[in-house]
Amino acid sequence: MKTIKSMMNHLYWADGRILDALEKSATKNKDLLKLVRHVAVAEIVWLSRLLGKGTEHYALWEEAEDLTAVRTMFEENAEQYRVYIEGLKESELDEMIDYSNQSGVQFRTSVRDILLQVILHGQYHRGQINRALRIDSAEPAQVDYITFARL
């Protein structure tokens, strides 16, 4: 549980760092804005599944007009995940969750694997965003776990 909590704390930190880099770059790249919004919405979707709520009303790939709304989503996600994880017992990590994906296909996955999906999914897309920032001659965000762990 300690590792998952630490990795989730890294996720909250890294979400903020990538938003800071996007804001600093002043990018108008709609694909990057869509991608960072996708990460925020995916976090909401997975938490909803963990809580036994439906997710069909969430659109994973809508355009984002600006980063303010996305930052608000990330901040709300962090708070809701903190509450969820604080109430989670080690023994509950291997409980199975039944849910439907956005296409209505049924799945059954452990709480542990869902949390790892959230952690790894965000890191994957932050890497994509950083690469695009570098190509656009903007400064990418340092979001490596080790950088966070050294704080």
Side-chain angles (χ1 to χ4, degrees):
M1 191 65 156
K2 181 180 176 186
T3 299
I4 287 179
K5 284 182 179 180
S6 182
M7 292 176 77
M8 289 301 292
N9 284 331
H10 168 259
L11 177 138
Y12 314 140
W13 172 84
D15 284 346
R17 300 267 305 198
I18 206 72
L19 280 172
D20 292 345
L22 285 166
E23 287 172 349
K24 186 176 179 185
S25 76
T27 186
K28 299 297 180 206
N29 182 326
K30 290 185 184 261
D31 290 335
L32 281 183
L33 298 176
K34 185 186 237 183
L35 188 55
V36 74
R37 182 195 173 277
H38 167 77
V39 174
V41 174
E43 289 177 8
I44 296 167
V45 165
W46 284 111
L47 183 61
S48 295
R49 291 172 180 158
L50 287 166
L51 297 173
K53 298 178 182 176
T55 61
E56 59 281 345
H57 58 285
Y58 291 111
L60 287 168
W61 289 105
E62 285 184 356
E63 288 189 10
E65 293 302 315
D66 65 70
L67 292 172
T68 305
V70 177
R71 185 175 293 278
T72 299
M73 279 191 265
F74 277 132
E75 289 169 354
E76 290 173 357
N77 291 349
E79 181 56 33
Q80 291 174 26
Y81 270 103
R82 281 184 178 106
V83 168
Y84 174 78
I85 289 171
E86 280 307 310
L88 193 62
K89 297 180 184 92
E90 181 86 29
S91 61
E92 295 172 314
L93 287 172
D94 293 316
E95 286 184 6
M96 301 302 284
I97 303 290
D98 295 306
Y99 62 93
S100 298
N101 70 6
Q102 298 311 96
S103 300
V105 178
Q106 293 286 316
F107 290 96
R108 185 172 173 85
T109 307
S110 72
V111 170
R112 181 187 317 274
D113 286 339
I114 289 172
L115 290 173
L116 290 173
Q117 166 62 23
V118 172
I119 291 162
L120 296 172
H121 176 259
Q123 192 67 357
Y124 170 74
H125 287 309
R126 284 188 293 274
Q128 291 178 310
I129 292 166
N130 268 336
R131 183 174 188 277
L133 287 171
R134 188 175 303 263
I135 289 169
D136 288 345
S137 299
E139 188 66 30
Q142 177 52 265
V143 292
D144 285 345
Y145 181 82
I146 197 67
T147 303
F148 168 76
R150 290 174 181 153
L151 296 176

